[in-house]
Amino acid sequence: MADSFCGYFEKEWRLPKGVWQYTEWLDRTQTIQSERELYIMEEAARQRGVQVFRIVVPEDDAATVQLLEGAGFFRVGQTLSEKGSVVGYEKWIALSTMSWDKDWGRIVDMRVEKNRPLYPEGIPCGSMRLVYLVPGSAPVTINGKKYVFSKPTLAVLLEEETLCSTQGMCSSILYLKPNIINDAFTDDFIATEDIEHLRGTTLYQDYCMLKYIYDRPTEQRIFSADSEVFFTLQPIIDKIDNVLTKQIDGLWPCRSRSYCIQLVFLLQSFMSEFELEMQPAAAAKKEATDTKPVASIIQYMNKRIADKLTLNDLAQEFGINRNKLNRLFLQATGETAISYLIGLRIRLSQHLLKNTEIPISEIAERVGFSDSGHFTKTFKSRVRCSPSDYRANKSIV
């Protein structure tokens, strides 16, 4: 083990671009004294854009070894040096995920971090972040405004927004960059307002989905545990984490991306339906349209988008007569309930077809079609082409 690790040490730990190596212990001029000090070192490394944070420590430094292992570092081997036996530890801390296959070298600009403390310095900026906060008495500061959350809370933060606390805790954080949704989405592209010339293209469709979230004020991007958003998005984040961590096949970048697209699609849908729910009734109408049940049902459709749902299922779930349910949907959306649900399924499948390479059969299942043939027939009736033609022709919307 020592010989193999020594070879690995010589070849891989030479400070390649983006890697910071901490070896000050050799002179005993600096040691890691606490979890907070280690956190500050990790943040310094993160600001340098590292993919891996690597630390070499004396094997007999039991306190530091225990601290590293408790902070999520994993041991990669040991060897002998002039100062005695040393062990190496690694931790992935970048805002992206790198392929475990070093020959492939694929990097996905998305990453999930679990059980992270919130120190005063806050969590890193530079990526869009979905942060699940653990409730507590300590205030959490978001963009300079203090909040005290008595329930678990989801905060959706944009690249430049800040979040910090003196002693808060995150149960999970999803970091993602706009190019996960579409390769053309650089930070500058998202910031531009000159996109009308793209109207009628898939790029415009993807842009509108993401920009809707960016345009919402911070308060409309914070959801408590009472919200459907909270419980619907967490399982998707767990799936993203599972795919990024296990990388079981060559489709892991596309599959993690597909879950992220689904997450953003659902988030945008929830936000737009929340606005529908809050609409005031028009004063000129004698009978105001009751939009609250419609908004709740649409949220339920988004949550169960991969499941088989019938009109009877929806009527029973919400205790509404089938005819009344359809009447409410026609008033609020111009479609029947099932027609609206099919539209949701097809719109999500369009995003997945254009922006990932996962099999069409898998996409069909993900959007609630157990039979690929039925999915193809329904897709053609809505989009006027087959799913495979839609994926191949970038100009079709």
Side-chain angles (χ1 to χ4, degrees):
M1 183 175 182
D3 291 341
S4 62
F5 178 64
C6 186
Y8 175 78
F9 181 92
E10 292 174 355
K11 292 178 182 179
E12 303 294 337
W13 288 37
R14 291 183 179 176
L15 299 178
K17 183 180 179 181
V19 175
W20 179 40
Q21 182 182 6
Y22 173 72
T23 56
E24 284 84 348
W25 70 269
L26 290 171
D27 298 324
R28 308 308 294 173
T29 57
Q30 181 178 356
T31 56
I32 306 170
Q33 298 291 341
S34 67
E35 180 182 351
R36 177 170 174 74
E37 185 177 339
L38 177 61
Y39 166 83
I40 293 172
M41 291 171 58
E42 289 184 4
E43 289 304 292
R46 197 189 303 272
Q47 293 301 319
R48 301 185 187 196
V50 305
Q51 293 296 334
V52 183
F53 184 28
R54 289 167 171 159
I55 296 180
V56 184
V57 298
E59 187 176 25
D60 60 2
D61 188 350
T64 300
V65 168
Q66 182 179 5
L67 181 64
L68 292 174
E69 292 178 349
F73 283 77
F74 61 92
R75 182 167 174 162
V76 293
Q78 70 181 72
T79 189
L80 293 174
S81 73
E82 295 178 358
K83 298 288 180 98
S85 179
V86 297
V87 291
Y89 284 87
E90 287 186 355
K91 184 178 182 181
W92 298 84
I93 65 166
L95 304 184
S96 56
T97 302
M98 180 182 289
S99 170
W100 295 112
D101 186 341
K102 295 183 180 180
D103 294 331
W104 192 8
R106 179 69 184 271
I107 298 176
V108 176
D109 286 328
M110 182 168 40
R111 180 173 169 269
V112 177
E113 194 171 32
K114 295 291 185 70
N115 300 320
R116 188 188 198 284
L118 288 175
Y119 291 114
E121 292 83 358
I123 62 174
C125 299
S127 289
M128 185 177 178
R129 292 143 293 161
L130 277 73
V131 185
Y132 274 85
L133 297 163
V134 175
S137 57
V140 175
T141 303
I142 301 177
N143 296 334
K145 183 177 179 179
K146 289 187 177 181
Y147 298 84
V148 176
F149 298 119
S150 59
K151 298 179 180 180
T153 301
L154 167 64
V156 180
L157 305 178
L158 306 183
E159 284 82 351
E160 73 283 358
E161 294 184 312
T162 60
L163 184 152
C164 58
S165 176
T166 55
Q167 51 184 306
M169 176 69 75
C170 303
S171 60
S172 65
I173 306 174
L174 170 64
Y175 301 93
L176 64 113
K177 291 196 173 182
N179 63 11
I180 289 296
I181 307 302
N182 190 301
D183 289 329
F185 288 171
T186 62
D187 293 339
D188 291 339
F189 185 92
I190 293 297
T192 185
E193 299 293 336
D194 182 23
I195 47 87
E196 283 304 308
H197 64 287
L198 297 173
R199 187 179 290 275
T201 66
T202 302
L203 187 59
Y204 184 86
Q205 187 182 52
D206 292 342
Y207 174 87
C208 290
M209 177 178 70
L210 192 59
K211 194 68 164 61
Y212 188 92
I213 299 171
Y214 274 67
D215 287 344
R216 304 277 74 73
T218 305
E219 288 73 18
Q220 291 184 22
R221 290 184 273 106
I222 299 176
F223 308 94
S224 76
D226 294 332
S227 169
E228 282 290 329
V229 182
F230 185 92
F231 291 106
T232 302
L233 299 189
Q234 181 62 71
I236 300 177
I237 293 176
D238 291 339
K239 289 177 181 178
I240 293 172
D241 184 36
N242 184 61
V243 172
L244 293 176
T245 302
K246 294 185 177 179
Q247 301 182 15
I248 60 174
D249 58 32
L251 283 175
W252 73 266
C254 281
R255 192 164 287 117
S256 60
R257 187 178 198 177
S258 72
Y259 283 122
C260 187
I261 290 170
Q262 181 179 355
L263 183 146
V264 172
F265 177 85
L266 293 178
L267 185 58
Q268 182 264 331
S269 297
F270 277 126
M271 288 181 175
S272 61
E273 298 315 321
F274 176 78
E275 290 188 353
L276 173 66
E277 184 177 343
M278 299 305 293
Q279 283 177 356
K285 290 186 178 180
K286 292 183 179 179
E287 292 184 6
T289 300
D290 189 359
T291 60
K292 188 171 182 178
V294 173
S296 298
I297 294 169
I298 292 175
Q299 288 183 357
Y300 183 76
M301 289 176 175
N302 277 299
K303 182 178 180 180
R304 302 279 304 275
I305 198 165
D307 301 332
K308 181 179 179 181
L309 287 176
T310 66
L311 187 60
N312 279 337
D313 293 332
L314 296 174
Q316 291 177 8
E317 178 69 24
F318 290 90
I320 301 175
N321 176 275
R322 291 174 40 170
N323 292 332
K324 181 179 179 181
L325 191 153
N326 268 333
R327 186 171 64 253
L328 291 174
F329 259 84
L330 284 167
Q331 290 175 334
T333 71
E335 297 182 84
T336 65
I338 295 303
S339 177
Y340 188 92
L341 174 60
I342 292 172
L344 277 179
R345 299 188 195 278
I346 296 302
R347 286 198 296 277
L348 176 56
S349 72
Q350 287 177 282
H351 288 291
L352 297 179
L353 285 166
K354 285 293 188 183
N355 298 307
T356 77
E357 298 175 5
I358 59 176
I360 291 175
S361 59
E362 185 173 333
I363 291 176
E365 186 176 350
R366 289 270 294 277
V367 298
F369 292 87
S370 57
D371 178 75
S372 295
H374 184 208
F375 168 65
T376 298
K377 182 178 179 180
T378 305
F379 190 94
K380 289 178 72 172
S381 70
R382 292 274 179 149
V383 188
R384 305 303 180 192
C385 68
S386 68
S388 56
D389 288 341
Y390 182 85
R391 169 173 273 175
N393 191 336
K394 299 298 182 183
S395 64
I396 299 177
V397 179

